Amino acid sequence: MVWLGKRGRRTAGLRSAASAALALALAACGTGGSGDGNSGDREAKYRRVIEDPHPRPADVIEAAGAPADVARASDGSLLLAYEADNVEDDEGPAATAWRVVGPDGHTVAERAEHADAEDAPPAFKGVREGFVRVPPGEGAEGAYVLDVRGKPHKAVITETPSRTRPGDVLLTELEPTLIYRPATRTVAPPAGVPDSAIRFAVDERGTVWSLDQPLTDDPNRVVRQRDGHTLGSRAVPKPYTGGILAARGGTAALSLIRGEHVRGLLLTTDDGEHWRTVLAGGIPWKDLKRDPESLVLESLADGRLLVGEEGGRYWLADDRANNAFHELKTPATFTSLTVDGTTLYGIADATTATYDLVKGEGLWISRDGGREWHRHEQHG
């Protein structure tokens, strides 16, 4: 999955130095902290939370209002990550928290930390046995695993490139590119990818899809590899350059950029044997006004594509042929929308830190392609 944080930024990790974060994570995951229990207006409570050196998870979650990130493990457990930032300035105190919710909706574990508003919020990716933490900066240091009970485990970090296998997960795309292997809890760079690759996706078969941007006038190319070997490539049609990649369920897609805007897709639905461009299909590409980095492009487990803009409109393919798309009706304005399997997770939140909540704030879930949505509720 591509995980999108509050205010439309790509999340990168917990808000502390990697070594300190790992030490804290491997400590007891108690709820701890202060909290005077007194009632008061939301602003006063919010300020107390971000200034508290040992905030309680429940207080951070209440102050944040909506998660900044959501990840799902194979058993259906969810990890929800929250942040409460300094409202008046991009600097100053902040607080982060994560909560693991079991398949039955009950809280299994949670933790909160005092933080700095300049740092990125926590980010995790769902894996077979739980959740792997995305490293907070350049390199792999700081990656670790939380199981579905919220218990932390060390990850094996190596600089030796690894040939990808089925089940491997793309942990970080660049600086550097890292793959996580659940079977061995290993974080490593993928083997054999082009030096000039600028985008990556890894599908469930372990195929690495990368966008190669040569330093010459040659066109961008989508390259697919498995087990360290190149299987084939496809040139990006002129006059377009490549943008974001997505791959799952036999489908791989690349956003096509012309000028400073996304204007279509280059896609395959048979694992790269045949490619075609989609410049219409029910998506009004000219209505996409934001920069190409704000595009949401994901493939569902059945090969259907989800396309949209952070904080804007979204379209879902009618079937895995991806010839026609329909616009999703959402119960609130989503600041982020992502996919796990065929389940859609939408987050409604403010685009900047605020004491107040927006209409419909929270996590919304759809298991039927966006026809019906239900708001995620905690059961204690």
Side-chain angles (χ1 to χ4, degrees):
M1 294 185 206
V2 175
W3 297 108
L4 304 176
K6 293 172 77 171
R7 297 180 297 283
R9 67 192 179 195
R10 295 281 195 286
T11 56
L14 293 174
R15 296 170 174 265
S16 55
S19 58
L22 184 56
L24 285 170
L26 296 175
C29 292
T31 58
S34 62
D36 53 19
N38 296 329
S39 62
D41 61 32
R42 183 170 174 82
E43 179 177 344
K45 290 182 178 179
Y46 192 103
R47 287 177 177 271
R48 285 199 298 269
V49 169
I50 65 173
E51 292 172 358
D52 190 339
H54 304 289
R56 297 192 310 135
D59 292 339
V60 177
I61 291 168
E62 180 184 4
D69 193 18
V70 56
R72 189 177 78 177
S74 296
D75 75 338
S77 298
L78 295 180
L79 185 145
L80 309 178
Y82 296 83
E83 61 169 334
D85 281 339
N86 187 11
V87 173
E88 281 76 19
D89 200 338
D90 289 338
E91 301 177 350
T96 64
W98 56 256
R99 171 178 282 173
V100 175
V101 180
D104 61 358
H106 288 83
T107 297
V108 175
E110 56 187 9
R111 183 177 179 84
E113 293 182 15
H114 184 65
D116 190 289
E118 292 184 282
D119 297 332
F124 292 82
K125 289 195 175 184
V127 293
R128 185 179 62 196
E129 77 274 35
F131 315 93
V132 57
R133 180 201 170 191
V134 178
E138 297 182 5
E141 187 179 1
Y144 62 87
V145 182
L146 290 173
D147 62 30
V148 293
R149 300 180 302 278
K151 181 180 178 180
H153 303 269
K154 290 183 178 180
V156 178
I157 298 172
T158 177
E159 296 181 358
T160 303
S162 176
R163 293 183 177 185
T164 54
R165 299 175 184 172
D168 287 354
V169 176
L170 180 63
L171 188 58
T172 61
E173 197 168 355
L174 289 173
E175 299 181 359
T177 305
L178 296 171
I179 302 294
Y180 175 74
R181 179 163 297 162
T184 57
R185 291 181 180 158
T186 300
V187 177
V193 298
D195 292 336
S196 52
I198 59 171
R199 291 287 187 182
F200 293 89
V202 178
D203 66 22
E204 72 278 14
R205 299 179 63 187
T207 305
V208 178
W209 303 79
S210 61
L211 176 64
D212 185 19
Q213 186 180 68
L215 299 177
T216 65
D217 292 333
D218 293 337
N220 293 179
R221 300 191 72 87
V222 179
V223 180
R224 68 185 193 280
Q225 298 168 300
R226 190 179 302 139
D227 196 27
H229 301 292
T230 299
L231 304 177
S233 68
R234 174 62 159 84
V236 176
K238 293 182 178 181
Y240 304 102
T241 57
I244 294 172
L245 272 169
R248 182 71 43 177
T251 296
L254 173 76
S255 60
L256 296 176
I257 300 172
R258 187 172 185 178
E260 297 181 355
H261 301 286
V262 178
R263 289 296 176 255
L265 299 174
L266 174 68
L267 65 86
T268 175
T269 56
D270 56 8
D271 288 313
E273 293 299 320
H274 303 89
W275 294 82
R276 70 179 191 274
T277 56
V278 174
L279 305 179
I283 301 175
W285 298 101
K286 291 185 178 180
D287 289 350
L288 302 185
K289 303 298 186 183
R290 300 189 64 184
D291 65 87
E293 293 295 314
S294 297
L295 184 77
V296 175
L297 175 61
E298 297 200 40
S299 180
L300 280 66
D302 57 14
R304 288 179 295 160
L305 289 171
L306 172 71
V307 181
E309 284 187 309
E310 295 173 10
R313 301 160 66 188
Y314 301 91
W315 294 265
L316 182 64
D318 293 341
D319 53 46
R320 74 175 312 275
N322 291 291
N323 290 317
F325 293 76
H326 62 273
E327 186 170 359
L328 291 179
K329 294 182 179 180
T330 60
T333 300
F334 290 157
T335 46
S336 71
L337 178 60
T338 191
V339 173
D340 189 292
T342 56
T343 302
L344 306 180
Y345 295 92
I347 294 174
D349 198 4
T351 55
T352 57
T354 176
Y355 300 122
D356 299 319
L357 303 179
V358 301
K359 183 178 180 180
E361 181 152 341
L363 173 65
W364 295 82
I365 301 173
S366 174
R367 295 184 174 88
D368 60 3
R371 289 185 291 274
E372 293 185 4
W373 295 87
H374 73 271
R375 197 168 180 173
H376 175 73
E377 301 290 346
Q378 291 290 127
H379 301 304

